[in-house]
């Protein structure tokens, strides 16, 4: 049974006149009648009753046409899904990115890419770094903008480097310093991200190197919230420099060479990207392989 015959049968059920339906489909009345006859012969049942005012579905035909609608709709969805994967001009890119760059780097990247490929849709997932790695591994997303290069077979292209600073309340003892060592945080309360977050791993690594273990006062997934808690006098925090000062805190440079985080584009290299995702990757990271 041809899928075309099923779609013609659905059209005939909607319009109820063979001649009118044939004209709408761009075929002839005999051709449409032969297609209907093929379907009925293969099913061994009458789908339509002929009458002076057109055609009407039989009770069996109601079942047949309902199934035909489902099959043709699934076929249409399949074609749309394939276009999303195969067409670099009108397809879909699934992109994950960090919460902390949702209002800065990501909008700039998307604006540039939209100007380059205006008909490509980019589906966005805003989430922590460990969830980004999970979604890349599972194939839920095609690409990600994150601060942690995933282990294993992943491409990586740095997009932005941010200096880390110590955010302190306006009246804090360290507010006027030109720089601060992390060893000076002994006795301080620290506001930071929860364990398991990529940024928390970076901060913990810096603190271990400084051999200091400050008391954790509050944890938040959102760096802007962390800076606000510091402004309220609830502790100090290591944050990317752009976040310091947003709520009145003071950002003091950290005197540690590794006090930086790198934001980059990453993707799996163990299988090819879809055509739209590859277009996005080559636009954002043209030299990366």
């Amino acid at each position: 049974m041809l899928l075309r015959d099923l779609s013609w049968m659905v059209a005939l059920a909607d319009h109820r006149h063979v001649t009118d339906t044939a004209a709408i489909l761009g075929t002839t009345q005999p051709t449409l009648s032969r297609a209907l006859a093929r379907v009925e012969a293969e099913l061994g049942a009458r789908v339509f009753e002929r009458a002076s005012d057109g055609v009407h579905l039989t009770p069996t035909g109601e079942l047949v046409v309902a199934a035909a609608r489902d099959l043709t709709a699934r076929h249409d969805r399949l074609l749309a899904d394939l276009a999303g994967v195969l067409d670099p001009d009108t397809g879909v890119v699934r992109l994950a990115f960090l919460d902390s760059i949702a209002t800065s780097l990501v909008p700039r990247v998307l604006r540039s890419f939209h100007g380059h490929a205006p008909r490509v849709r980019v589906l966005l997932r805003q989430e922590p770094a460990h969830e980004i790695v999970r979604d890349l591994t599972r194939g839920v997303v095609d690409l990600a903008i994150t601060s942690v290069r995933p282990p294993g077979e992943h491409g990586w292209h740095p997009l932005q480097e941010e200096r880390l600073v110590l955010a302190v309340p306006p009246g804090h003892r360290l507010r006027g310093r030109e720089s601060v060592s992390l060893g000076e945080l002994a006795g301080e309360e620290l506001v930071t991200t929860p364990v398991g977050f990529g940024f928390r791993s970076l901060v913990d690594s810096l603190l271990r190197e400084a051999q200091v273990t400050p008391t954790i006062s509050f944890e938040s997934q959102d760096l802007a919230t962390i800076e606000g808690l510091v402004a309220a006098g609830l502790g100090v925090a290591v944050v990317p420099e752009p976040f310091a000062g947003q709520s009145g805190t003071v950002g003091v440079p950290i005197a540690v060479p590794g006090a930086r985080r790198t934001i980059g584009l990453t993707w799996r290299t163990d299988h090819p990207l879809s055509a739209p995702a590859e277009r996005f990757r080559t636009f954002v990271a043209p030299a990366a392989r």
Side-chain angles (χ1 to χ4, degrees):
M1 189 181 304
L2 295 176
L3 187 64
R4 187 205 64 179
D5 292 348
L6 293 178
S7 67
W8 282 9
M9 188 170 57
V10 170
L12 183 57
D14 291 338
H15 299 291
R16 299 186 179 182
H17 290 85
V18 176
T19 303
D20 292 346
T21 303
I24 291 170
L25 294 173
T27 189
T28 64
Q29 182 269 333
T31 301
L32 177 58
S33 296
R34 285 195 296 271
L36 172 60
R38 280 196 301 270
V39 173
E40 291 184 326
E42 185 167 343
L43 293 175
R46 291 187 66 82
V47 177
F48 293 95
E49 291 290 352
R50 284 71 171 171
S52 59
D53 62 344
V55 296
H56 304 277
L57 285 170
T58 66
T60 302
E62 295 280 359
L63 296 175
V64 172
V65 169
R69 288 188 193 279
D70 182 54
L71 290 170
T72 54
R74 291 188 182 190
H75 179 257
D76 291 342
R77 285 197 299 271
L78 171 61
L79 294 180
D81 291 343
L82 286 174
V85 173
L86 300 175
D87 190 343
D89 295 322
T90 61
V92 175
V93 178
R94 301 168 302 165
L95 176 70
F97 60 92
L98 292 173
D99 300 301
S100 59
I101 55 173
T103 60
S104 54
L105 176 62
V106 170
R108 294 198 302 271
V109 169
L110 293 179
R111 182 173 60 247
S112 297
F113 182 70
H114 183 67
H116 168 71
R119 293 190 297 161
V120 174
R121 290 194 303 131
V122 182
L123 303 182
L124 303 176
R125 295 176 70 93
Q126 182 175 328
E127 52 194 9
H130 63 281
E131 293 183 12
I132 287 176
V133 174
R134 178 201 63 196
D135 285 347
L136 275 173
T137 301
R138 294 178 178 177
V140 175
V141 297
D142 305 306
L143 305 126
I145 300 177
T146 182
S147 62
V148 177
R149 180 174 185 170
E153 297 181 283
H154 289 87
W156 175 258
H157 180 73
L159 299 175
Q160 175 176 291
E161 189 173 80
E162 297 174 330
R163 182 170 68 169
L164 302 182
V165 298
L166 182 70
V168 300
H172 194 271
R173 62 184 177 87
L174 298 174
R175 68 186 184 281
R177 294 278 295 276
E178 291 186 2
S179 64
V180 62
S181 69
L182 291 177
E184 297 178 76
L185 299 187
E188 294 282 352
E189 291 189 322
L190 186 72
V191 186
T192 187
T193 52
V195 172
F197 279 63
F199 191 76
R200 174 64 177 270
S201 298
L202 174 58
V203 171
D204 285 350
S205 175
L206 293 171
L207 293 173
R208 279 196 303 272
E209 291 179 7
Q211 297 182 338
V212 62
T213 308
T215 301
I216 305 299
S217 57
F218 291 93
E219 295 178 336
S220 172
Q221 300 182 18
D222 182 54
L223 292 177
T225 300
I226 288 173
E227 191 270 343
L229 293 172
V230 172
L234 298 174
V236 300
V238 177
V239 297
E241 189 171 22
F243 285 86
Q246 292 184 2
S247 301
T249 59
V250 177
V252 184
I254 298 172
V256 177
R260 294 179 175 274
R261 76 165 180 172
T262 301
I263 305 296
L265 180 73
T266 187
W267 60 94
R268 288 175 58 179
T269 58
D270 57 344
H271 64 82
L273 290 169
S274 68
E278 178 63 16
R279 183 172 185 180
F280 186 97
R281 187 198 68 78
T282 55
F283 177 79
V284 177
R289 292 289 182 270

